[in-house]
Amino acid sequence: MKNVKAASKSGQEPLVRVQTAKKERVFDVEDPKLPDWIEDGALPSGGFPYNKKLNRETYEATLEALQIELVKMQAWMQTSGHRVLALFEGRDAAGKGGTINATRDYLNPRTARNVALPKPTETERGQWYFQRYVTHFPTSGEFVTFDRSWYNRAGVEPVMGFCTPEQHASFLMEAEHFERRIVNDGIHFFKFWLDIGQEMQLKRFHDRRHSQLKSWKFSPIDIAGMNKWDDYTKARDEMFEHTHSEHAPWIIIRSNDKRRARIELIRYILLHLPYSGRDDKLIGAADPKIIGEGPQFLGL
């Protein structure tokens, strides 16, 4: 899938013109009926390797077992003082929030925090870029997740014009060194990229727009973002090139199926922390079709 161009109907209702390999299609997010070409193409989009979602019974049983292990992990952290910092990144509607919730559902909120920062204040804009994130880092025994992070400067900011090219270039140069300090300080550091296909993103945007419970998640920036798929892809690839490292690798998860994505992400965390009583047999092995390390996992 190539360029996506925004159009309008009567100057107000947002349309998207999607250029596929065969023809240009029009998507009206305001229309309550989801087009068949999106409904049918969502799950396999972006090279997703399965033609069906993981069935609910398997998902719920597996998730519960992994969440029990997470509770054991947190008890070990509180006793040992180990610190965990996990970044959740991905395109809009990739499933970051739901995956964070599944990870934190049964953890003690006193020592398991999620950080989702608003746009920087005037004071924060005048500080060192990483400063406002550092203040939220974990202390002894804490598990901290970031729903988006300093990688805003590698994605939404340059794509939407919220930073200068010089600020973007400076970030790409500094991020690896900044993260080396995190790891050298003894923090267990995870960087997750939840990857989705374009049709799946359009489907999830449509679901949000027409849900009374989730419509607050759909914003004008989502409409603008639908027109910038290729720009976001270019920014993502450049980010991987400069910030994937041995000490702080990008862990990429194919997330068209939220159930598989949540299981694989939690499983990865559990398998990479040396907590007491870890049950490797119960945790299980990673699905190499869903999760992998670095841009090569996406064929880049």
Side-chain angles (χ1 to χ4, degrees):
M1 191 168 289
K2 299 180 180 179
N3 296 328
V4 181
K5 299 180 180 178
S8 64
K9 182 165 59 180
S10 302
Q12 295 181 348
E13 295 183 323
L15 303 179
V16 175
R17 298 190 185 277
V18 181
Q19 182 65 50
T20 67
K22 295 182 179 180
K23 61 180 180 179
E24 184 178 73
R25 298 179 184 272
V26 177
F27 170 53
D28 182 359
V29 73
E30 296 293 327
D31 188 341
K33 179 174 170 49
L34 185 68
D36 290 343
W37 62 270
I38 293 181
E39 183 71 56
D40 297 339
L43 189 62
S45 63
F48 191 73
Y50 292 101
N51 56 19
K52 292 183 179 179
K53 293 182 179 180
L54 185 66
N55 72 74
R56 181 175 294 277
E57 293 76 13
T58 300
Y59 166 68
E60 291 179 349
T62 305
L63 180 62
E64 181 178 4
L66 295 177
Q67 288 172 330
I68 290 172
E69 287 293 307
L70 283 170
V71 172
K72 290 164 57 178
M73 177 206 74
Q74 187 180 36
W76 164 79
M77 289 178 61
Q78 292 172 339
T79 300
S80 64
H82 281 264
R83 296 166 291 165
V84 173
L85 176 60
L87 311 187
F88 289 67
E89 293 287 347
R91 297 179 192 265
D92 291 329
K96 298 179 291 297
T99 306
I100 290 171
N101 290 339
T103 304
R104 299 180 64 251
D105 262 348
Y106 296 99
L107 297 182
N108 184 340
R110 290 186 177 88
T111 55
R113 295 185 287 111
N114 184 52
V115 180
L117 299 180
K119 65 180 182 180
T121 64
E122 183 177 351
T123 297
E124 289 170 334
R125 286 195 294 271
Q127 296 172 340
W128 176 49
Y129 176 72
F130 295 97
Q131 186 168 338
R132 75 183 190 127
Y133 298 101
V134 172
T135 59
H136 297 278
F137 277 19
T139 188
S140 177
E142 276 197 318
F143 181 93
V144 175
T145 54
F146 272 77
D147 186 347
R148 295 198 181 277
S149 66
W150 47 91
Y151 280 100
N152 282 334
R153 183 139 292 179
V156 64
E157 289 191 18
V159 170
M160 301 303 295
F162 299 154
C163 71
T164 67
E166 292 77 18
Q167 288 172 324
H168 179 218
S170 176
F171 171 84
L172 293 176
M173 181 179 66
E174 294 176 3
E176 181 181 353
H177 303 291
F178 172 65
E179 291 167 4
R180 186 180 294 277
R181 294 189 175 192
I182 296 172
V183 175
N184 287 347
D185 198 55
I187 295 176
H188 299 280
F189 183 48
F190 300 97
K191 296 192 309 192
F192 296 111
W193 176 267
L194 277 61
D195 197 73
I196 59 169
Q198 189 172 17
E199 289 95 337
M200 180 56 77
Q201 186 188 54
L202 294 176
K203 180 180 186 303
R204 291 180 183 174
F205 279 155
H206 186 270
D207 291 346
R208 288 179 178 183
R209 174 64 186 87
H210 298 281
S211 168
Q212 291 182 322
L213 295 175
K214 298 180 181 180
S215 58
W216 62 271
K217 291 185 176 183
F218 189 72
S219 68
I221 200 168
D222 291 328
I223 296 174
M226 286 191 287
N227 186 36
K228 295 180 179 293
W229 178 270
D230 290 345
D231 294 333
Y232 273 109
T233 299
K234 180 180 178 181
R236 178 203 66 182
D237 296 350
E238 190 173 9
M239 177 189 75
F240 287 157
E241 179 184 355
H242 288 86
T243 65
H244 175 66
S245 63
E246 184 177 353
H247 61 273
W250 278 106
I251 305 305
I252 299 170
I253 302 169
R254 296 188 184 277
S255 302
N256 283 1
D257 179 0
K258 294 179 181 180
R259 296 171 183 171
R260 286 188 170 91
R262 293 168 184 173
I263 285 172
E264 292 304 325
L265 187 146
I266 295 172
R267 179 177 281 152
Y268 185 91
I269 292 174
L270 294 171
L271 290 174
H272 287 79
L273 291 175
Y275 63 93
S276 304
R278 191 178 76 186
D279 189 337
D280 288 358
K281 183 176 180 181
L282 183 148
I283 295 170
D287 181 347
K289 294 181 180 180
I290 296 296
I291 187 168
E293 183 176 312
Q296 63 271 17
F297 182 66
L298 296 177
L300 302 179

